[in-house]
């Protein structure tokens, strides 16, 4: 027990030292500018695209709807967490087999990356699911009866349209991957947009729901990366105070 308490204390001491060593590089996270930009994009989607989508929800191409239905579940929280759990288990199993310092360091880094992505997705999911229950926006199948302005908080799944939970998960996952592997940012951004669009194609969300979900997920991934960088975990802070991957050679 004494040994475990000492180990826990040493971990917190090390994290505190890491934080203090980087304090001079800390800068305020620009949440105001991000929020204002996101709100403007959501408002444009709401005013321009939501009504046409509500009117056309029943006439979309069946093959397109079928393809969207086959891939949209990638954005489910259970699917993402299942994949991350599998990766974490693999890291744990390999940890005991590695003896070279360099290999063990890379494995520890991979474990930290997994923890970062998991935390980003979970935080975004909690935020969005609380928000959608409280707002209670009607989904596109109810467009004929209630239109795009209907708000009925705490009224069940059919009134949980805004923001999109799938899109928030996708936004957090792929924003995290963009930050971890910036060389492939265009590829990850494209995947995120296509996966989020499946929610519109399946007529379970309006475009503004999807935009709000993507923005929320991306924000949580970015904010979490800043937090990790301040402790020197996964990321480090560059001279401007922004997070960059610690192992630049891997990305």
């Amino acid at each position: 027990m004494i040994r475990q308490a000492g180990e826990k204390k040493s971990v917190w001491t090390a994290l505190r030292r890491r934080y203090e060593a980087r304090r001079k590089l800390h800068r305020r996270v620009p949440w105001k500018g991000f929020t204002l930009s996101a709100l403007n994009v959501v408002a444009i989607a709401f005013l321009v695209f939501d009504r046409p989508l509500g009117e056309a929800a029943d006439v979309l191409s069946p093959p397109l709807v079928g393809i969207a239905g086959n891939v949209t579940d990638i954005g489910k929280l259970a699917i993402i967490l299942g994949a991350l759990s599998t990766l974490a288990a693999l890291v744990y199993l390999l940890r005991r087999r590695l003896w070279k310092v360099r290999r063990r360091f890379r494995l520890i880094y991979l474990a930290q990356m997994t923890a970062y992505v998991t935390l980003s997705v979970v935080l975004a999911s909690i935020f969005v699911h609380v928000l959608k229950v409280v707002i209670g926006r009607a989904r596109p199948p109810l467009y004929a009866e209630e239109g795009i302005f209907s708000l009925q908080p705490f009224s069940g799944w059919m009134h949980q349209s805004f923001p999109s939970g799938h899109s928030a998960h996708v936004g957090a996952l792929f924003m995290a991957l963009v930050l971890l592997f910036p060389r492939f940012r265009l590829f990850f951004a494209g995947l995120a947009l296509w996966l989020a669009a499946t929610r519109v194609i399946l007529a379970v969300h309006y475009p503004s729901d999807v935009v709000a979900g993507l923005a929320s997920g991306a924000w949580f991934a970015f904010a979490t990366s800043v937090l990790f960088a301040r402790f020197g975990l996964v990321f480090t802070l560059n001279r401007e105070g922004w997070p960059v991957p610690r192992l630049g050679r891997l990305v």
Side-chain angles (χ1 to χ4, degrees), residues 197-216:
T198 63
R199 308 308 290 166
V200 176
I201 295 171
L202 293 173
V204 293
H205 283 290
Y206 291 102
S208 60
D209 304 333
V210 168
V211 172
L214 283 173
S216 299

Side-chain angles (χ1 to χ4, degrees), residues 6 24 104 143 149 182 209 214:
K24 292 182 179 180
R104 289 183 66 88
Y143 172 78
F149 296 100
D209 304 333
L214 283 173

Side-chain angles (χ1 to χ4, degrees), residues 129-149:
H129 280 86
V130 169
L131 199 61
K132 70 196 303 180
V133 170
V134 173
I135 292 176
R137 187 187 190 189
R139 293 181 183 269
L142 298 178
Y143 172 78
E145 295 83 10
E146 303 187 27
I148 63 174
F149 296 100

Side-chain angles (χ1 to χ4, degrees), residues 38-216:
L39 288 175
N40 275 285
V41 176
V42 170
I44 292 172
F46 179 81
L47 296 172
V48 177
F49 300 109
D50 283 7
R51 190 177 298 278
L53 183 279
E55 296 172 350
D58 296 330
V59 296
L60 293 176
S61 170
L64 179 62
V65 173
I67 294 173
N70 290 332
V71 302
T72 193
D73 283 348
I74 296 175
K76 279 187 174 181
L77 181 63
I79 298 296
I80 295 174
L81 292 184
L84 292 171
S85 298
T86 301
L87 180 59
L90 182 62
V91 170
Y92 179 79
L93 292 173
L94 291 176
R95 178 179 63 88
R96 297 179 179 274
R97 296 178 177 272
L98 297 179
W99 58 272
K100 289 187 177 181
V101 175
R102 187 178 182 84
R103 291 180 180 177
R104 289 183 66 88
F105 175 76
R106 287 173 178 261
L107 202 59
I108 291 172
Y109 184 75
L110 180 59
Q112 292 178 358
M113 287 169 56
T114 304
Y116 158 65
V117 177
T118 301
L119 185 60
S120 299
V121 175
V122 170
L123 289 177
S125 181
I126 293 173
F127 173 78
V128 165
H129 280 86
V130 169
L131 199 61
K132 70 196 303 180
V133 170
V134 173
I135 292 176
R137 187 187 190 189
R139 293 181 183 269
L142 298 178
Y143 172 78
E145 295 83 10
E146 303 187 27
I148 63 174
F149 296 100
S150 176
L151 301 178
Q152 296 186 31
F154 308 100
S155 299
W157 186 83
M158 288 301 292
H159 289 86
Q160 295 180 7
S161 188
F162 183 91
S164 165
H166 276 66
S167 299
H169 303 154
V170 167
L173 173 64
F174 286 99
M175 183 61 173
L177 292 177
V178 165
L179 292 171
L180 290 169
F181 308 101
R183 186 178 303 175
F184 306 103
R185 56 186 176 276
L186 293 180
F187 173 73
F188 290 135
L191 280 180
L193 290 174
W194 277 107
L195 286 173
T198 63
R199 308 308 290 166
V200 176
I201 295 171
L202 293 173
V204 293
H205 283 290
Y206 291 102
S208 60
D209 304 333
V210 168
V211 172
L214 283 173
S216 299

